[in-house]
Structures are given as C-alpha cells and as structure tokens.
DNA sequence: CATCTTACGATACGGTTGTTCAACAAGGAG
DNA sequence: CTCCTTGTTGAACAACCGTATCGTAAGATG
C-alpha cells in the first residue's frame, strides 16, 4: 500500500547541468566543513545524487576540485565586470566587499582552497592564469585613477600590494570576524589607497544596504 | 644468523619529549601534503613511532593539531622577541621575512592551518589570544617609531593593516612564489610603512644573506 | 638484585575513503 | 511502437581513517 513508483525514479540532466549541480553541492560542503568535508559521499548526498556521478562527469574528485576553484574565480571576476559597478578605485574596493563575494561562506571556501593549491598542480595552474588577469585589471584601474588625479604611481606594484592586502583582510575576517570586521577591513583598503591617491568618495549607504547577508543557511 | 636483537627494541621518552617529536613530525606532514596529509598513520610513520602514541600523549588527533598550531605561533612570536633583531619598523618587517619564519614549508603549514581554524573552535580560541598579543606588539612598535619621527598615526589601525598585508603577501607567496617573490613581498611591506612613516633604512645584505633557503627537502 | 611505573608496539574495530563496474532506465530518434 | 544512446544507480572493492585496548618491556627506583 505504499505509494506506487509510477513516475521516473530519477532525472537525467546534461553532463553540463549535472556538473554545475555537483559543483554547487561541493561549494556547500567546502563552506560547511573545509577541505575535510570535500568528500564524494558528502558532495553526492548534498546534490541528492548517487556516488558514481563525480567520477562519471569529472573523471576524478581532484578534477571536480579544479572545477570548483575555477567557478570561485569566475564568480569573483564577474563582480568586477558588472556593468553598474562604481568606476575607478572606489569600485575596486566596493567590488572586493560586495556581499556576493565577501561573505562567510565564500571566505571559508577560499581559505580551504588556498590550503590545497600548494599540493595540487592543476589548481596552481588555474590560479596562475586567473591571478595574472585579475592583477592586470586592478593595475589598469589604478593607473587610470592615478592619472585622472595627476598622481604618479607604480600601478603594477600597487596592484600587487592592493590584492595582497585584500587577501590579508579576507584571511583575518574569514578566520575570526570578531577580530577584523567587514567594515574595518574595507576601511583598511580605503586607507591604503587614499595614502597613494588622495581622498576617495565612499559610496552612500546604497550599495552597503544589503549587508544583512543572505540569511541563515538552511542546514 | 641474523643480527641478534640484544639491545632495547624501542626507546622511552618523557611525555614532553615525545610530544615534541610528534609535533615536529606533524609539521613535516602538513608542509608536505596539507591538512589532508595530517593523519595518524602519516605522522607516526614520520616520527618512527607506533600509531597509539598520538592518542596516548595528546588524547586525540585534534588536540595534537591544536598543539601544532600553538607551536607555529610560538615560533613566529619568538622571532619578534629575539634580542638582536633590528629596532623599530624595520625590525618589524625583517622579522616577518626572517628565513626561520618566511620559508615555503612554514607558509604551506600556515595555509593548511588557516583552512581548518574556521572549522575548529579550539584552534580559533588559541588564535584569538595569540593574534591579539601580536597586534599589541606591532601597534606598540609602530607607535614608538611614529613618535620618534614626529608623525601621528592610528597605531592600532595601522597595525591591523600591516598584519593583514603581511598575511596577504604570505598567502600569495605561499600559493605561488613565482607570482610574488620574497623580495617583492618584503618591498611591498616597506612601501606600505614608508607611505605612513617616511623613508626606512633597509638593513645591509647582512641579514638577507641566507636567502638561499634550507636546501632541498630530503623526500 | 627485585619492583614498579608507564611509555610503547601491535592489533582489532567499525566506519569512511575514492574508484570501478555491471545492470538499469530515462528520454530522444527513427 | 522499437531501438539506442547515455546519464544514473547502487553494490562491491581495497585501502585508509581515528581510536580503544591489550600485553609488553624500558628504565628509573630502591
């Protein structure tokens, strides 16, 4: 008298779609428990799929991890490429602290990934490419801003410093937000650039309004 | 006709000594393969001890990890407390890039640990204390340097920025030294502080002589 | 020498790891 | 409808995970 299993017992997705679902589930696992929770069982349970799918669609668990890393970088640079973001150095900082990028889950994921890159040649290769592109974009923005203000800076060097400072405040906030709040982290970045470029006009509360975050995780 | 097992079959150490040996072996494993390689089997094999010893001396694997983290912090702050280090802001930077602290193995270990802190309350508690102390020391040094130069700075805020910047260049160099060399990383820190304090006198090649590193790892 | 404390080695345990594989079925093509 | 491609399942696998527990023996003590 149990419910008749009339309908399909599972759904078939394209390899691309299922891959995206597995990546999404993997991100959830990474955010929840770090690289230790990045296991086939956890991920497939989160994705409500059987355990064979990771190997089937990605070839191996490591390949999935590489795809996860690429996805994280894509999402980060996507924020920079948004058409409606603020121009110049201010936009640079605000993009760094955009809620889509700067949130507890993402920071935990970055921390977990950084710890693995040193041990995974594939991840390191992806990083090298993406980081180079990111650096170019930051340097270009800073050079333009400096030129518009009649200042002369070594844009490349400053870009490296700026990205490193961003990574640093990400680390501190990701490890323990009570030690370095999001606001203090952003203020650090402003102070750093203002020392080189002069006063920067912080945006009104408009783009800072949605600080509340994405709400409680439905765990 | 094999060699007679006359001598002792193993050696007994004090709990303190054996604990230090296990911590040392754990550090080697972390540097070699990240948190994934932090396993009872790996560590005890590295320490040439049987697998029961971690539980016996530390109670659990997690407790050993906490001890490992404390050891890393101890060694880092020990460099700051060295009597013969350079005074003021220059000493601050040079301590950060002391070969005893800034080397590929240590950076890999920090990266691996940071990824776990977010998932381990005990580690986070240790971090909170040590980080606070470190920040106090950095802020004090910066305040003195600024006062001696007649500059006024928010020492606390600058200390946070400086530590974050240090963490950031550590991350970048640890992930991929070809992207941000040790020299460029140190120069970034100098540029940052010089913007606030004025020119700093970099030390002669004396303390930079031993850059060569600890030689190839005997893997 | 005998005695005692306790660090130690070895093993067993249930659970989890990533991967392989054969049977299966969803869903489009003819 | 039948056929066929292929995404999917779930079991099976050996290797490894962290821990508990046993008897043993190192080495200090008297």
């Amino acid at each position: 008298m149990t419910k008749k299993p009339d309908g399909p017992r599972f759904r078939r997705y394209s390899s691309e779609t299922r891959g995206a679902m597995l990546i999404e589930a993997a991100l959830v696992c990474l955010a929840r428990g770090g690289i230790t929770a990045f296991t086939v069982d956890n991920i497939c349970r989160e994705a409500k799929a059987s355990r064979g799918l990771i190997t089937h669609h990605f070839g191996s668990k490591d390949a999935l991890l590489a795809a996860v890393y690429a996805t994280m970088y894509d999402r980060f640079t996507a924020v920079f490429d948004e058409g409606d973001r603020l121009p110049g150095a201010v936009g640079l900082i605000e993009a760094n602290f955009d809620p889509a990028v700067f949130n507890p889950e993402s920071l935990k994921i970055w921390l977990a990934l950084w710890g693995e890159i040193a041990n995974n040649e594939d991840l390191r290769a992806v990083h090298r490419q993406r980081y180079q592109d990111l650096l170019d974009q930051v340097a270009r923005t800073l050079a333009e801003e400096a030129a518009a203000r009649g200042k002369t800076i070594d844009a490349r060097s400053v870009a490296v410093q700026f990205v490193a400072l961003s990574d640093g405040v990400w680390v501190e906030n990701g490890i323990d937000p009570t030690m370095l709040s999001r606001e203090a982290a952003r203020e650090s970045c402003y102070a750093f650039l203002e020392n080189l470029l002069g006063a920067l006009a912080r945006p009104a509360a408009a783009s800072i309004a949605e600080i509340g975050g994405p709400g409680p995780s439905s765990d």
Side-chain angles (χ1 to χ4, degrees), chain A:
Chain A
M1 283 302 164
T2 54
K3 194 180 293 181
K4 286 267 259 341
D6 283 333
R9 287 211 274 272
F10 58 87
R11 216 183 130 191
R12 288 163 66 103
Y13 295 94
S14 69
S15 194
E16 198 175 55
T17 302
R18 180 67 83 175
M21 294 169 67
L22 289 172
I23 288 174
E24 200 53 46
L27 288 171
V28 171
C29 291
L30 276 176
R32 186 183 298 152
I35 198 67
T36 303
F38 187 84
T39 68
V40 172
D41 283 347
N42 277 342
I43 295 163
C44 290
R45 194 181 312 125
E46 177 70 30
K48 300 189 204 309
S50 68
R51 305 188 318 159
L53 283 194
I54 287 179
T55 305
H56 184 252
H57 288 293
F58 290 93
S60 72
K61 196 188 81 161
D62 279 347
L64 170 59
L65 187 61
V68 164
Y69 183 74
T71 299
M72 283 299 288
Y73 240 118
D74 284 344
R75 291 185 183 176
F76 179 64
T77 52
V79 174
F80 276 93
D81 297 337
E82 270 172 13
D84 62 340
R85 75 176 180 89
L86 296 163
V90 170
L92 222 53
I93 297 176
E94 292 303 318
N96 250 300
F97 294 95
D98 189 302
V101 168
F102 191 93
N103 58 68
E105 289 77 22
S106 292
L107 297 183
K108 283 185 65 174
I109 294 171
W110 280 117
L111 244 23
L113 289 171
W114 286 340
E116 276 304 294
I117 290 179
N119 310 116
N120 188 320
E121 175 58 37
D122 293 337
L123 289 192
R124 198 156 51 245
V126 176
H127 170 82
R128 205 165 298 187
Q129 175 65 43
R130 309 291 181 112
Y131 177 72
Q132 193 69 262
D133 294 346
L134 177 67
L135 223 53
D136 290 341
Q137 190 161 357
V138 172
R140 202 178 321 121
T141 304
L142 288 175
E144 288 167 5
E145 178 92 27
R149 290 164 174 263
K151 306 258 185 180
T152 57
I153 62 171
D154 181 349
R156 188 73 187 182
S157 166
V158 174
V160 171
Q161 291 178 53
F162 177 74
V163 173
L165 177 60
S166 301
D167 287 350
V169 296
W170 278 25
V171 168
E172 296 299 346
N173 183 280
I175 289 177
D176 187 358
T178 68
M179 278 303 184
L180 180 65
S181 71
R182 171 209 173 100
E183 288 71 27
R186 197 171 76 235
E187 203 52 40
S188 292
C189 288
Y190 271 110
F192 172 72
L193 285 188
E194 284 180 333
N195 260 308
L196 299 166
L197 300 171
L200 295 173
R202 288 159 183 70
S207 68
I208 326 177
E210 64 259 75
I211 280 186
S217 67
S218 57
D219 234 6

